[in-house]
Amino acid sequence: CGEDRVSATSALGVPVRAAVIEPRRDDPQAAAGRVGARLHIATGGEIRTYDLGTRDLRSVVAADGAAALAFDPTGGRLILGYDDGRITTLDAASLGAEGVDLGPTPTILATLDHPVQRLLVSSDGAYVVAASSERLSVIQRSDGTLDGSLDLPAIADLAPGGSGSALIATIAEVPDPAAAASILA
């Protein structure tokens, strides 16, 4: 009923360091009226793009050291993170548009002082969050400006946290934490 079962599997025959799904989006200028619905795989040496409907390989882009992937649906860009701290971008529309291709060269967005093992694009597409297992950095997607970095032990993953209001306090600076908590509650 709900298509909530595995109906097929495929073996890629390559190592997988990271993967991201590019969601299907409406595009009136595209031949089928939509774009996306692809799977991007980082093998450590290249980025391989597969069509999710046909499972056909559509594009191969050289990307030695690529270890993390994210997709920015607001800009139609694939974001790549590397072992040496580089963050690059690819225009997703240029990947496999006319059959299998060898893809474009990624464009450098920023270079960080730590490896990039995880990536997250903010919901508005304005920021790229990059992390190693011990350091987190925030970069402006528009121009690669580093907004800040923070050492954090044992970073396991990145996930969106929503867009609601937040309160941040340094407990040591709050004179009466119980009273403050009572007021906030």
Side-chain angles (χ1 to χ4, degrees):
C1 285
E3 296 297 322
D4 56 355
R5 66 189 187 290
V6 175
S7 58
T9 62
S10 296
L12 299 175
V14 295
V16 176
R17 292 195 64 193
V20 68
I21 291 177
E22 175 187 348
R24 186 174 76 184
R25 306 172 311 282
D26 293 329
D27 183 350
Q29 296 177 349
R34 62 182 185 269
V35 295
R38 299 186 293 182
L39 173 67
H40 304 282
I41 303 284
T43 68
E46 60 193 14
I47 304 301
R48 298 171 68 90
T49 299
Y50 294 89
D51 182 286
L52 284 173
T54 64
R55 298 189 188 155
D56 291 338
L57 177 65
R58 302 298 296 171
S59 179
V60 177
V61 174
D64 193 33
L69 296 173
F71 185 74
D72 173 15
T74 66
R77 303 202 68 78
L78 185 63
I79 313 295
L80 291 65
Y82 294 79
D83 293 325
D84 64 6
R86 282 178 296 145
I87 297 175
T88 65
T89 67
L90 284 167
D91 177 6
S94 67
L95 300 173
E98 301 295 326
V100 178
D101 65 30
L102 295 179
T105 301
T107 303
I108 292 179
L109 177 64
T111 301
L112 303 174
D113 63 355
H114 60 84
V116 179
Q117 298 166 320
R118 290 156 191 81
L119 286 169
L120 175 74
V121 178
S122 63
S123 60
D124 62 1
Y127 298 94
V128 174
V129 180
S132 68
S133 62
E134 302 290 325
R135 190 157 178 82
L136 182 114
S137 297
V138 178
I139 301 107
Q140 292 183 25
R141 194 195 56 79
S142 62
D143 62 5
T145 301
L146 177 66
D147 273 6
S149 289
L150 176 65
D151 289 326
L152 294 169
I155 299 171
D157 206 352
L158 301 173
S163 59
S165 299
L167 172 68
I168 299 173
T170 304
I171 297 299
E173 295 176 8
V174 178
D176 186 350
S182 176
I183 291 169
L184 292 173

